[in-house]
Amino acid sequence: MKNQPNHELWEYYKHMIRLRQHLPALYTDNIEFIHENPEAKVLAYYRWSDEGTRAVVVANFSDNYLSAYCIPKFPAGGTWHEWMYNKIVEVGEEGFKFDLPEWSAQVFV
């Protein structure tokens, strides 16, 4: 844990564990795959709970930075919080465009 890469990874896992513990949508059986793009190697899925919590996970499994990438069938328009980068985003009715770095995932709640 003393070297920087290990410490950053440890902090990342702690961050993800906290999210899972506090968001029932991530531990229910409710899941819907909302976007699959084999060519770009992008997968997105929607999770929700009966209590009303929800999450969308978008993963880029490629080494390409995807600028203004579009998820056309985002579950709902409005304000979402992107958990990994801690930013507020607005999703329109026509879908959602955002930057998706290589080998990354973003979690919208």
Side-chain angles (χ1 to χ4, degrees), residues 66-89:
L66 303 173
S67 180
Y69 191 82
C70 183
I71 304 291
K73 295 181 182 175
F74 212 81
T79 303
W80 289 75
H81 175 231
E82 198 291 313
W83 185 264
M84 299 307 300
Y85 298 97
N86 193 28
K87 60 185 175 182
I88 301 298
V89 297

mmCIF file with all atom_site columns, all heavy atoms in Angstrom, residues 66-89:
data_model
loop_
_atom_site.group_PDB
_atom_site.id
_atom_site.type_symbol
_atom_site.label_atom_id
_atom_site.label_alt_id
_atom_site.label_comp_id
_atom_site.label_asym_id
_atom_site.label_entity_id
_atom_site.label_seq_id
_atom_site.pdbx_PDB_ins_code
_atom_site.Cartn_x
_atom_site.Cartn_y
_atom_site.Cartn_z
_atom_site.occupancy
_atom_site.B_iso_or_equiv
_atom_site.pdbx_formal_charge
_atom_site.auth_seq_id
_atom_site.auth_comp_id
_atom_site.auth_asym_id
_atom_site.auth_atom_id
_atom_site.pdbx_PDB_model_num
ATOM 1   N N   . LEU A 1 66 ? -13.306 7.577  -26.190 1.00 0.00 ? 66 LEU A N   1
ATOM 2   C CA  . LEU A 1 66 ? -14.512 7.820  -26.980 1.00 0.00 ? 66 LEU A CA  1
ATOM 3   C C   . LEU A 1 66 ? -15.095 9.178  -26.606 1.00 0.00 ? 66 LEU A C   1
ATOM 4   O O   . LEU A 1 66 ? -15.703 9.346  -25.551 1.00 0.00 ? 66 LEU A O   1
ATOM 5   C CB  . LEU A 1 66 ? -15.529 6.699  -26.741 1.00 0.00 ? 66 LEU A CB  1
ATOM 6   C CG  . LEU A 1 66 ? -15.012 5.291  -27.059 1.00 0.00 ? 66 LEU A CG  1
ATOM 7   C CD1 . LEU A 1 66 ? -16.016 4.238  -26.632 1.00 0.00 ? 66 LEU A CD1 1
ATOM 8   C CD2 . LEU A 1 66 ? -14.681 5.166  -28.532 1.00 0.00 ? 66 LEU A CD2 1
ATOM 9   N N   . SER A 1 67 ? -14.906 10.135 -27.476 1.00 0.00 ? 67 SER A N   1
ATOM 10  C CA  . SER A 1 67 ? -15.374 11.498 -27.250 1.00 0.00 ? 67 SER A CA  1
ATOM 11  C C   . SER A 1 67 ? -16.821 11.629 -27.721 1.00 0.00 ? 67 SER A C   1
ATOM 12  O O   . SER A 1 67 ? -17.177 11.147 -28.798 1.00 0.00 ? 67 SER A O   1
ATOM 13  C CB  . SER A 1 67 ? -14.485 12.470 -28.012 1.00 0.00 ? 67 SER A CB  1
ATOM 14  O OG  . SER A 1 67 ? -14.908 13.779 -27.814 1.00 0.00 ? 67 SER A OG  1
ATOM 15  N N   . ALA A 1 68 ? -17.651 12.261 -26.911 1.00 0.00 ? 68 ALA A N   1
ATOM 16  C CA  . ALA A 1 68 ? -19.073 12.496 -27.224 1.00 0.00 ? 68 ALA A CA  1
ATOM 17  C C   . ALA A 1 68 ? -19.787 11.191 -27.581 1.00 0.00 ? 68 ALA A C   1
ATOM 18  O O   . ALA A 1 68 ? -20.601 11.139 -28.504 1.00 0.00 ? 68 ALA A O   1
ATOM 19  C CB  . ALA A 1 68 ? -19.225 13.526 -28.323 1.00 0.00 ? 68 ALA A CB  1
ATOM 20  N N   . TYR A 1 69 ? -19.495 10.143 -26.830 1.00 0.00 ? 69 TYR A N   1
ATOM 21  C CA  . TYR A 1 69 ? -20.139 8.850  -27.062 1.00 0.00 ? 69 TYR A CA  1
ATOM 22  C C   . TYR A 1 69 ? -21.611 8.959  -26.659 1.00 0.00 ? 69 TYR A C   1
ATOM 23  O O   . TYR A 1 69 ? -21.945 9.590  -25.652 1.00 0.00 ? 69 TYR A O   1
ATOM 24  C CB  . TYR A 1 69 ? -19.452 7.747  -26.254 1.00 0.00 ? 69 TYR A CB  1
ATOM 25  C CG  . TYR A 1 69 ? -19.901 6.377  -26.668 1.00 0.00 ? 69 TYR A CG  1
ATOM 26  C CD1 . TYR A 1 69 ? -19.349 5.766  -27.775 1.00 0.00 ? 69 TYR A CD1 1
ATOM 27  C CD2 . TYR A 1 69 ? -20.913 5.718  -25.977 1.00 0.00 ? 69 TYR A CD2 1
ATOM 28  C CE1 . TYR A 1 69 ? -19.777 4.513  -28.185 1.00 0.00 ? 69 TYR A CE1 1
ATOM 29  C CE2 . TYR A 1 69 ? -21.343 4.473  -26.376 1.00 0.00 ? 69 TYR A CE2 1
ATOM 30  C CZ  . TYR A 1 69 ? -20.783 3.877  -27.483 1.00 0.00 ? 69 TYR A CZ  1
ATOM 31  O OH  . TYR A 1 69 ? -21.218 2.642  -27.892 1.00 0.00 ? 69 TYR A OH  1
ATOM 32  N N   . CYS A 1 70 ? -22.495 8.331  -27.414 1.00 0.00 ? 70 CYS A N   1
ATOM 33  C CA  . CYS A 1 70 ? -23.935 8.455  -27.173 1.00 0.00 ? 70 CYS A CA  1
ATOM 34  C C   . CYS A 1 70 ? -24.548 7.136  -26.715 1.00 0.00 ? 70 CYS A C   1
ATOM 35  O O   . CYS A 1 70 ? -24.337 6.097  -27.341 1.00 0.00 ? 70 CYS A O   1
ATOM 36  C CB  . CYS A 1 70 ? -24.643 8.932  -28.434 1.00 0.00 ? 70 CYS A CB  1
ATOM 37  S SG  . CYS A 1 70 ? -26.415 9.198  -28.177 1.00 0.00 ? 70 CYS A SG  1
ATOM 38  N N   . ILE A 1 71 ? -25.306 7.207  -25.628 1.00 0.00 ? 71 ILE A N   1
ATOM 39  C CA  . ILE A 1 71 ? -26.167 6.107  -25.189 1.00 0.00 ? 71 ILE A CA  1
ATOM 40  C C   . ILE A 1 71 ? -27.585 6.562  -25.535 1.00 0.00 ? 71 ILE A C   1
ATOM 41  O O   . ILE A 1 71 ? -28.169 7.396  -24.836 1.00 0.00 ? 71 ILE A O   1
ATOM 42  C CB  . ILE A 1 71 ? -26.041 5.842  -23.667 1.00 0.00 ? 71 ILE A CB  1
ATOM 43  C CG1 . ILE A 1 71 ? -24.592 5.561  -23.273 1.00 0.00 ? 71 ILE A CG1 1
ATOM 44  C CG2 . ILE A 1 71 ? -26.975 4.714  -23.245 1.00 0.00 ? 71 ILE A CG2 1
ATOM 45  C CD1 . ILE A 1 71 ? -24.028 4.261  -23.777 1.00 0.00 ? 71 ILE A CD1 1
ATOM 46  N N   . PRO A 1 72 ? -28.160 6.068  -26.636 1.00 0.00 ? 72 PRO A N   1
ATOM 47  C CA  . PRO A 1 72 ? -29.437 6.606  -27.106 1.00 0.00 ? 72 PRO A CA  1
ATOM 48  C C   . PRO A 1 72 ? -30.649 6.249  -26.236 1.00 0.00 ? 72 PRO A C   1
ATOM 49  O O   . PRO A 1 72 ? -31.622 6.988  -26.209 1.00 0.00 ? 72 PRO A O   1
ATOM 50  C CB  . PRO A 1 72 ? -29.581 6.021  -28.513 1.00 0.00 ? 72 PRO A CB  1
ATOM 51  C CG  . PRO A 1 72 ? -28.679 4.844  -28.550 1.00 0.00 ? 72 PRO A CG  1
ATOM 52  C CD  . PRO A 1 72 ? -27.596 5.086  -27.549 1.00 0.00 ? 72 PRO A CD  1
ATOM 53  N N   . LYS A 1 73 ? -30.583 5.142  -25.529 1.00 0.00 ? 73 LYS A N   1
ATOM 54  C CA  . LYS A 1 73 ? -31.748 4.713  -24.739 1.00 0.00 ? 73 LYS A CA  1
ATOM 55  C C   . LYS A 1 73 ? -31.435 4.758  -23.241 1.00 0.00 ? 73 LYS A C   1
ATOM 56  O O   . LYS A 1 73 ? -31.604 3.778  -22.531 1.00 0.00 ? 73 LYS A O   1
ATOM 57  C CB  . LYS A 1 73 ? -32.173 3.312  -25.154 1.00 0.00 ? 73 LYS A CB  1
ATOM 58  C CG  . LYS A 1 73 ? -32.676 3.246  -26.573 1.00 0.00 ? 73 LYS A CG  1
ATOM 59  C CD  . LYS A 1 73 ? -33.119 1.858  -26.941 1.00 0.00 ? 73 LYS A CD  1
ATOM 60  C CE  . LYS A 1 73 ? -33.575 1.826  -28.386 1.00 0.00 ? 73 LYS A CE  1
ATOM 61  N NZ  . LYS A 1 73 ? -33.912 0.484  -28.821 1.00 0.00 ? 73 LYS A NZ  1
ATOM 62  N N   . PHE A 1 74 ? -30.974 5.923  -22.773 1.00 0.00 ? 74 PHE A N   1
ATOM 63  C CA  . PHE A 1 74 ? -30.738 6.097  -21.345 1.00 0.00 ? 74 PHE A CA  1
ATOM 64  C C   . PHE A 1 74 ? -32.090 5.982  -20.640 1.00 0.00 ? 74 PHE A C   1
ATOM 65  O O   . PHE A 1 74 ? -33.098 6.457  -21.161 1.00 0.00 ? 74 PHE A O   1
ATOM 66  C CB  . PHE A 1 74 ? -30.101 7.466  -21.097 1.00 0.00 ? 74 PHE A CB  1
ATOM 67  C CG  . PHE A 1 74 ? -29.161 7.490  -19.937 1.00 0.00 ? 74 PHE A CG  1
ATOM 68  C CD1 . PHE A 1 74 ? -27.861 7.039  -20.075 1.00 0.00 ? 74 PHE A CD1 1
ATOM 69  C CD2 . PHE A 1 74 ? -29.569 7.955  -18.701 1.00 0.00 ? 74 PHE A CD2 1
ATOM 70  C CE1 . PHE A 1 74 ? -26.979 7.057  -19.002 1.00 0.00 ? 74 PHE A CE1 1
ATOM 71  C CE2 . PHE A 1 74 ? -28.704 7.981  -17.630 1.00 0.00 ? 74 PHE A CE2 1
ATOM 72  C CZ  . PHE A 1 74 ? -27.405 7.527  -17.781 1.00 0.00 ? 74 PHE A CZ  1
ATOM 73  N N   . PRO A 1 75 ? -32.163 5.344  -19.476 1.00 0.00 ? 75 PRO A N   1
ATOM 74  C CA  . PRO A 1 75 ? -33.453 5.051  -18.832 1.00 0.00 ? 75 PRO A CA  1
ATOM 75  C C   . PRO A 1 75 ? -34.350 6.259  -18.571 1.00 0.00 ? 75 PRO A C   1
ATOM 76  O O   . PRO A 1 75 ? -35.564 6.134  -18.640 1.00 0.00 ? 75 PRO A O   1
ATOM 77  C CB  . PRO A 1 75 ? -33.067 4.394  -17.515 1.00 0.00 ? 75 PRO A CB  1
ATOM 78  C CG  . PRO A 1 75 ? -31.710 3.868  -17.739 1.00 0.00 ? 75 PRO A CG  1
ATOM 79  C CD  . PRO A 1 75 ? -31.063 4.775  -18.734 1.00 0.00 ? 75 PRO A CD  1
ATOM 80  N N   . ALA A 1 76 ? -33.762 7.415  -18.273 1.00 0.00 ? 76 ALA A N   1
ATOM 81  C CA  . ALA A 1 76 ? -34.591 8.591  -17.987 1.00 0.00 ? 76 ALA A CA  1
ATOM 82  C C   . ALA A 1 76 ? -33.774 9.851  -18.201 1.00 0.00 ? 76 ALA A C   1
ATOM 83  O O   . ALA A 1 76 ? -32.577 9.880  -17.926 1.00 0.00 ? 76 ALA A O   1
ATOM 84  C CB  . ALA A 1 76 ? -35.091 8.541  -16.547 1.00 0.00 ? 76 ALA A CB  1
ATOM 85  N N   . GLY A 1 77 ? -34.448 10.881 -18.690 1.00 0.00 ? 77 GLY A N   1
ATOM 86  C CA  . GLY A 1 77 ? -33.811 12.176 -18.795 1.00 0.00 ? 77 GLY A CA  1
ATOM 87  C C   . GLY A 1 77 ? -33.742 12.827 -17.421 1.00 0.00 ? 77 GLY A C   1
ATOM 88  O O   . GLY A 1 77 ? -34.273 12.319 -16.442 1.00 0.00 ? 77 GLY A O   1
ATOM 89  N N   . GLY A 1 78 ? -33.060 13.949 -17.357 1.00 0.00 ? 78 GLY A N   1
ATOM 90  C CA  . GLY A 1 78 ? -32.974 14.687 -16.105 1.00 0.00 ? 78 GLY A CA  1
ATOM 91  C C   . GLY A 1 78 ? -31.563 14.717 -15.555 1.00 0.00 ? 78 GLY A C   1
ATOM 92  O O   . GLY A 1 78 ? -30.588 14.485 -16.257 1.00 0.00 ? 78 GLY A O   1
ATOM 93  N N   . THR A 1 79 ? -31.470 14.990 -14.267 1.00 0.00 ? 79 THR A N   1
ATOM 94  C CA  . THR A 1 79 ? -30.185 15.140 -13.602 1.00 0.00 ? 79 THR A CA  1
ATOM 95  C C   . THR A 1 79 ? -29.716 13.817 -13.024 1.00 0.00 ? 79 THR A C   1
ATOM 96  O O   . THR A 1 79 ? -30.465 13.143 -12.319 1.00 0.00 ? 79 THR A O   1
ATOM 97  C CB  . THR A 1 79 ? -30.302 16.182 -12.472 1.00 0.00 ? 79 THR A CB  1
ATOM 98  O OG1 . THR A 1 79 ? -30.760 17.417 -13.026 1.00 0.00 ? 79 THR A OG1 1
ATOM 99  C CG2 . THR A 1 79 ? -28.967 16.405 -11.794 1.00 0.00 ? 79 THR A CG2 1
ATOM 100 N N   . TRP A 1 80 ? -28.484 13.458 -13.327 1.00 0.00 ? 80 TRP A N   1
ATOM 101 C CA  . TRP A 1 80 ? -27.847 12.251 -12.796 1.00 0.00 ? 80 TRP A CA  1
ATOM 102 C C   . TRP A 1 80 ? -26.514 12.647 -12.182 1.00 0.00 ? 80 TRP A C   1
ATOM 103 O O   . TRP A 1 80 ? -25.894 13.621 -12.603 1.00 0.00 ? 80 TRP A O   1
ATOM 104 C CB  . TRP A 1 80 ? -27.606 11.230 -13.916 1.00 0.00 ? 80 TRP A CB  1
ATOM 105 C CG  . TRP A 1 80 ? -28.846 10.581 -14.440 1.00 0.00 ? 80 TRP A CG  1
ATOM 106 C CD1 . TRP A 1 80 ? -29.779 11.151 -15.259 1.00 0.00 ? 80 TRP A CD1 1
ATOM 107 C CD2 . TRP A 1 80 ? -29.294 9.253  -14.197 1.00 0.00 ? 80 TRP A CD2 1
ATOM 108 N NE1 . TRP A 1 80 ? -30.769 10.248 -15.537 1.00 0.00 ? 80 TRP A NE1 1
ATOM 109 C CE2 . TRP A 1 80 ? -30.498 9.069  -14.894 1.00 0.00 ? 80 TRP A CE2 1
ATOM 110 C CE3 . TRP A 1 80 ? -28.784 8.195  -13.462 1.00 0.00 ? 80 TRP A CE3 1
ATOM 111 C CZ2 . TRP A 1 80 ? -31.203 7.877  -14.875 1.00 0.00 ? 80 TRP A CZ2 1
ATOM 112 C CZ3 . TRP A 1 80 ? -29.491 6.995  -13.447 1.00 0.00 ? 80 TRP A CZ3 1
ATOM 113 C CH2 . TRP A 1 80 ? -30.675 6.851  -14.146 1.00 0.00 ? 80 TRP A CH2 1
ATOM 114 N N   . HIS A 1 81 ? -26.058 11.867 -11.223 1.00 0.00 ? 81 HIS A N   1
ATOM 115 C CA  . HIS A 1 81 ? -24.745 12.082 -10.607 1.00 0.00 ? 81 HIS A CA  1
ATOM 116 C C   . HIS A 1 81 ? -23.817 10.981 -11.092 1.00 0.00 ? 81 HIS A C   1
ATOM 117 O O   . HIS A 1 81 ? -24.115 9.796  -10.920 1.00 0.00 ? 81 HIS A O   1
ATOM 118 C CB  . HIS A 1 81 ? -24.875 12.041 -9.079  1.00 0.00 ? 81 HIS A CB  1
ATOM 119 C CG  . HIS A 1 81 ? -23.561 12.122 -8.371  1.00 0.00 ? 81 HIS A CG  1
ATOM 120 N ND1 . HIS A 1 81 ? -23.193 11.224 -7.410  1.00 0.00 ? 81 HIS A ND1 1
ATOM 121 C CD2 . HIS A 1 81 ? -22.533 12.991 -8.472  1.00 0.00 ? 81 HIS A CD2 1
ATOM 122 C CE1 . HIS A 1 81 ? -21.997 11.534 -6.948  1.00 0.00 ? 81 HIS A CE1 1
ATOM 123 N NE2 . HIS A 1 81 ? -21.575 12.590 -7.582  1.00 0.00 ? 81 HIS A NE2 1
ATOM 124 N N   . GLU A 1 82 ? -22.711 11.372 -11.711 1.00 0.00 ? 82 GLU A N   1
ATOM 125 C CA  . GLU A 1 82 ? -21.721 10.383 -12.144 1.00 0.00 ? 82 GLU A CA  1
ATOM 126 C C   . GLU A 1 82 ? -20.791 10.148 -10.957 1.00 0.00 ? 82 GLU A C   1
ATOM 127 O O   . GLU A 1 82 ? -20.108 11.055 -10.504 1.00 0.00 ? 82 GLU A O   1
ATOM 128 C CB  . GLU A 1 82 ? -20.950 10.889 -13.363 1.00 0.00 ? 82 GLU A CB  1
ATOM 129 C CG  . GLU A 1 82 ? -20.236 9.782  -14.116 1.00 0.00 ? 82 GLU A CG  1
ATOM 130 C CD  . GLU A 1 82 ? -19.080 9.184  -13.333 1.00 0.00 ? 82 GLU A CD  1
ATOM 131 O OE1 . GLU A 1 82 ? -18.282 9.945  -12.788 1.00 0.00 ? 82 GLU A OE1 1
ATOM 132 O OE2 . GLU A 1 82 ? -18.982 7.940  -13.266 1.00 0.00 ? 82 GLU A OE2 1
ATOM 133 N N   . TRP A 1 83 ? -20.818 8.936  -10.452 1.00 0.00 ? 83 TRP A N   1
ATOM 134 C CA  . TRP A 1 83 ? -20.161 8.579  -9.197  1.00 0.00 ? 83 TRP A CA  1
ATOM 135 C C   . TRP A 1 83 ? -18.639 8.540  -9.282  1.00 0.00 ? 83 TRP A C   1
ATOM 136 O O   . TRP A 1 83 ? -17.950 9.009  -8.386  1.00 0.00 ? 83 TRP A O   1
ATOM 137 C CB  . TRP A 1 83 ? -20.695 7.227  -8.731  1.00 0.00 ? 83 TRP A CB  1
ATOM 138 C CG  . TRP A 1 83 ? -20.179 6.802  -7.402  1.00 0.00 ? 83 TRP A CG  1
ATOM 139 C CD1 . TRP A 1 83 ? -19.118 5.974  -7.163  1.00 0.00 ? 83 TRP A CD1 1
ATOM 140 C CD2 . TRP A 1 83 ? -20.660 7.184  -6.120  1.00 0.00 ? 83 TRP A CD2 1
ATOM 141 N NE1 . TRP A 1 83 ? -18.932 5.811  -5.826  1.00 0.00 ? 83 TRP A NE1 1
ATOM 142 C CE2 . TRP A 1 83 ? -19.876 6.550  -5.159  1.00 0.00 ? 83 TRP A CE2 1
ATOM 143 C CE3 . TRP A 1 83 ? -21.706 8.003  -5.686  1.00 0.00 ? 83 TRP A CE3 1
ATOM 144 C CZ2 . TRP A 1 83 ? -20.076 6.700  -3.795  1.00 0.00 ? 83 TRP A CZ2 1
ATOM 145 C CZ3 . TRP A 1 83 ? -21.907 8.147  -4.339  1.00 0.00 ? 83 TRP A CZ3 1
ATOM 146 C CH2 . TRP A 1 83 ? -21.104 7.509  -3.412  1.00 0.00 ? 83 TRP A CH2 1
ATOM 147 N N   . MET A 1 84 ? -18.082 7.994  -10.322 1.00 0.00 ? 84 MET A N   1
ATOM 148 C CA  . MET A 1 84 ? -16.634 7.796  -10.406 1.00 0.00 ? 84 MET A CA  1
ATOM 149 C C   . MET A 1 84 ? -15.867 9.125  -10.473 1.00 0.00 ? 84 MET A C   1
ATOM 150 O O   . MET A 1 84 ? -14.814 9.262  -9.883  1.00 0.00 ? 84 MET A O   1
ATOM 151 C CB  . MET A 1 84 ? -16.268 6.939  -11.612 1.00 0.00 ? 84 MET A CB  1
ATOM 152 C CG  . MET A 1 84 ? -16.876 5.551  -11.586 1.00 0.00 ? 84 MET A CG  1
ATOM 153 S SD  . MET A 1 84 ? -16.550 4.645  -10.064 1.00 0.00 ? 84 MET A SD  1
ATOM 154 C CE  . MET A 1 84 ? -14.790 4.585  -10.078 1.00 0.00 ? 84 MET A CE  1
ATOM 155 N N   . TYR A 1 85 ? -16.393 10.085 -11.236 1.00 0.00 ? 85 TYR A N   1
ATOM 156 C CA  . TYR A 1 85 ? -15.715 11.367 -11.402 1.00 0.00 ? 85 TYR A CA  1
ATOM 157 C C   . TYR A 1 85 ? -16.394 12.485 -10.599 1.00 0.00 ? 85 TYR A C   1
ATOM 158 O O   . TYR A 1 85 ? -16.009 13.641 -10.699 1.00 0.00 ? 85 TYR A O   1
ATOM 159 C CB  . TYR A 1 85 ? -15.623 11.741 -12.881 1.00 0.00 ? 85 TYR A CB  1
ATOM 160 C CG  . TYR A 1 85 ? -14.810 10.748 -13.669 1.00 0.00 ? 85 TYR A CG  1
ATOM 161 C CD1 . TYR A 1 85 ? -15.428 9.729  -14.394 1.00 0.00 ? 85 TYR A CD1 1
ATOM 162 C CD2 . TYR A 1 85 ? -13.423 10.800 -13.668 1.00 0.00 ? 85 TYR A CD2 1
ATOM 163 C CE1 . TYR A 1 85 ? -14.682 8.803  -15.100 1.00 0.00 ? 85 TYR A CE1 1
ATOM 164 C CE2 . TYR A 1 85 ? -12.672 9.876  -14.370 1.00 0.00 ? 85 TYR A CE2 1
ATOM 165 C CZ  . TYR A 1 85 ? -13.307 8.884  -15.082 1.00 0.00 ? 85 TYR A CZ  1
ATOM 166 O OH  . TYR A 1 85 ? -12.561 7.961  -15.785 1.00 0.00 ? 85 TYR A OH  1
ATOM 167 N N   . ASN A 1 86 ? -17.435 12.117 -9.850  1.00 0.00 ? 86 ASN A N   1
ATOM 168 C CA  . ASN A 1 86 ? -18.162 13.031 -8.964  1.00 0.00 ? 86 ASN A CA  1
ATOM 169 C C   . ASN A 1 86 ? -18.601 14.303 -9.690  1.00 0.00 ? 86 ASN A C   1
ATOM 170 O O   . ASN A 1 86 ? -18.215 15.416 -9.346  1.00 0.00 ? 86 ASN A O   1
ATOM 171 C CB  . ASN A 1 86 ? -17.316 13.376 -7.736  1.00 0.00 ? 86 ASN A CB  1
ATOM 172 C CG  . ASN A 1 86 ? -18.162 14.062 -6.675  1.00 0.00 ? 86 ASN A CG  1
ATOM 173 O OD1 . ASN A 1 86 ? -19.364 13.840 -6.585  1.00 0.00 ? 86 ASN A OD1 1
ATOM 174 N ND2 . ASN A 1 86 ? -17.538 14.900 -5.885  1.00 0.00 ? 86 ASN A ND2 1
ATOM 175 N N   . LYS A 1 87 ? -19.439 14.097 -10.723 1.00 0.00 ? 87 LYS A N   1
ATOM 176 C CA  . LYS A 1 87 ? -19.949 15.259 -11.447 1.00 0.00 ? 87 LYS A CA  1
ATOM 177 C C   . LYS A 1 87 ? -21.442 15.087 -11.716 1.00 0.00 ? 87 LYS A C   1
ATOM 178 O O   . LYS A 1 87 ? -21.949 13.968 -11.799 1.00 0.00 ? 87 LYS A O   1
ATOM 179 C CB  . LYS A 1 87 ? -19.173 15.495 -12.735 1.00 0.00 ? 87 LYS A CB  1
ATOM 180 C CG  . LYS A 1 87 ? -19.227 14.356 -13.718 1.00 0.00 ? 87 LYS A CG  1
ATOM 181 C CD  . LYS A 1 87 ? -18.337 14.629 -14.921 1.00 0.00 ? 87 LYS A CD  1
ATOM 182 C CE  . LYS A 1 87 ? -18.316 13.402 -15.819 1.00 0.00 ? 87 LYS A CE  1
ATOM 183 N NZ  . LYS A 1 87 ? -17.451 13.572 -16.952 1.00 0.00 ? 87 LYS A NZ  1
ATOM 184 N N   . ILE A 1 88 ? -22.122 16.199 -11.834 1.00 0.00 ? 88 ILE A N   1
ATOM 185 C CA  . ILE A 1 88 ? -23.551 16.217 -12.142 1.00 0.00 ? 88 ILE A CA  1
ATOM 186 C C   . ILE A 1 88 ? -23.695 16.369 -13.653 1.00 0.00 ? 88 ILE A C   1
ATOM 187 O O   . ILE A 1 88 ? -23.026 17.208 -14.267 1.00 0.00 ? 88 ILE A O   1
ATOM 188 C CB  . ILE A 1 88 ? -24.253 17.386 -11.418 1.00 0.00 ? 88 ILE A CB  1
ATOM 189 C CG1 . ILE A 1 88 ? -24.061 17.270 -9.901  1.00 0.00 ? 88 ILE A CG1 1
ATOM 190 C CG2 . ILE A 1 88 ? -25.726 17.446 -11.784 1.00 0.00 ? 88 ILE A CG2 1
ATOM 191 C CD1 . ILE A 1 88 ? -24.646 16.017 -9.284  1.00 0.00 ? 88 ILE A CD1 1
ATOM 192 N N   . VAL A 1 89 ? -24.564 15.544 -14.240 1.00 0.00 ? 89 VAL A N   1
ATOM 193 C CA  . VAL A 1 89 ? -24.781 15.601 -15.687 1.00 0.00 ? 89 VAL A CA  1
ATOM 194 C C   . VAL A 1 89 ? -26.273 15.710 -15.963 1.00 0.00 ? 89 VAL A C   1
ATOM 195 O O   . VAL A 1 89 ? -27.106 15.261 -15.172 1.00 0.00 ? 89 VAL A O   1
ATOM 196 C CB  . VAL A 1 89 ? -24.192 14.362 -16.407 1.00 0.00 ? 89 VAL A CB  1
ATOM 197 C CG1 . VAL A 1 89 ? -22.687 14.304 -16.235 1.00 0.00 ? 89 VAL A CG1 1
ATOM 198 C CG2 . VAL A 1 89 ? -24.833 13.087 -15.921 1.00 0.00 ? 89 VAL A CG2 1
#
